[in-house]
Amino acid sequence: MEKLSGAQIEAAMASVPDWRRNGAVISRTFQFKDFPAAMKFVNAVADLAEKAWHHPDIDIRWNRVTLALTTHDAGGLTERDFDLARQFDRLQSPPG
Amino acid sequence: MEKLSGAQIEAAMASVPDWRRNGAVISRTFQFKDFPAAMKFVNAVADLAEKAWHHPDIDIRWNRVTLALTTHDAGGLTERDFDLARQFDRLQSPPG
């Protein structure tokens, strides 16, 4: 999988508006009502990650979960990162 | 729960030799054979944490899991942190 160009990354970022980019990494923090709800999300993320064989960094802070994606093998961001980010976004119930 | 003194912390650290202290936080990184094994550990940690109503920061990096404990309410390390650290240590299978 090839590293995306700057223009491709800009286009891909538009598909994940809640994620922010820091160099070759995109990340998003998800917030839940409590720790068990956060863990439920983490397990769903883990299932998707293992299926995609692409694993985000996962930081759990009680009810907040931060996911960070990059493609180490490509030395940058690839379509795999954005595919998975979109899958993670779909896991979260709509707000409200 | 009261913050432990320096001498109490030193004594307690002896009971968790694989943990290191950085100011008011103790942490340990556990390594597993793969991501599913790491997630299994994280879920066991989550169960213990929820039962104790004391939640470590949990950082997952594929097969590595870093746990960090402090007692925010006490503004430092307490016996709760060390109790939970010892419980987490017991979760991991013996090496080898």
Side-chain angles (χ1 to χ4, degrees):
Chain A
M1 177 129 316
E2 268 195 40
K3 196 161 94 161
L4 298 177
S5 70
Q8 287 171 319
I9 289 170
E10 225 169 288
M13 286 302 294
S15 70
V16 288
D18 294 318
W19 291 67
R20 58 197 181 130
R21 185 168 78 93
N22 185 1
V25 178
I26 56 170
S27 66
R28 179 179 173 188
T29 299
F30 297 78
Q31 189 160 326
F32 301 90
K33 72 174 162 64
D34 56 19
F35 179 68
M39 281 304 305
K40 197 175 158 184
F41 174 74
V42 167
N43 279 292
V45 162
D47 284 348
L48 290 173
E50 191 66 8
K51 265 176 212 150
W53 194 246
H54 192 50
H55 301 82
D57 288 350
I58 304 173
D59 292 357
I60 307 168
R61 300 290 178 273
W62 193 58
N63 70 331
R64 284 177 298 115
V65 178
T66 299
L67 304 179
L69 284 160
T70 189
T71 305
H72 295 288
D73 292 350
L77 286 163
T78 67
E79 202 41 63
R80 295 182 77 190
D81 299 309
F82 290 98
D83 277 347
L84 212 42
R86 286 186 291 265
Q87 289 184 51
F88 296 153
D89 279 353
R90 284 195 293 270
L91 284 177
Q92 201 186 35
S93 333
Chain B
M1 176 130 317
E2 268 195 39
K3 197 162 94 161
L4 298 177
S5 70
Q8 286 170 320
I9 289 170
E10 225 168 288
M13 286 301 293
S15 70
V16 289
D18 294 319
W19 293 67
R20 56 194 183 135
R21 185 167 77 94
N22 186 1
V25 178
I26 56 170
S27 66
R28 180 178 172 187
T29 298
F30 297 78
Q31 188 160 329
F32 301 90
K33 72 173 161 63
D34 55 20
F35 180 68
M39 281 304 304
K40 196 175 157 186
F41 175 74
V42 167
N43 278 292
V45 162
D47 284 348
L48 290 174
E50 191 66 9
K51 264 177 213 150
W53 193 247
H54 192 50
H55 301 83
D57 289 350
I58 304 173
D59 291 358
I60 307 168
R61 301 290 179 273
W62 194 56
N63 70 331
R64 282 177 299 115
V65 178
T66 299
L67 304 179
L69 283 160
T70 188
T71 305
H72 295 288
D73 292 350
L77 288 163
T78 66
E79 201 42 61
R80 295 182 76 188
D81 300 308
F82 290 97
D83 277 348
L84 212 42
R86 285 185 292 264
Q87 289 184 52
F88 296 153
D89 279 353
R90 283 195 294 270
L91 285 177
Q92 201 186 33
S93 334

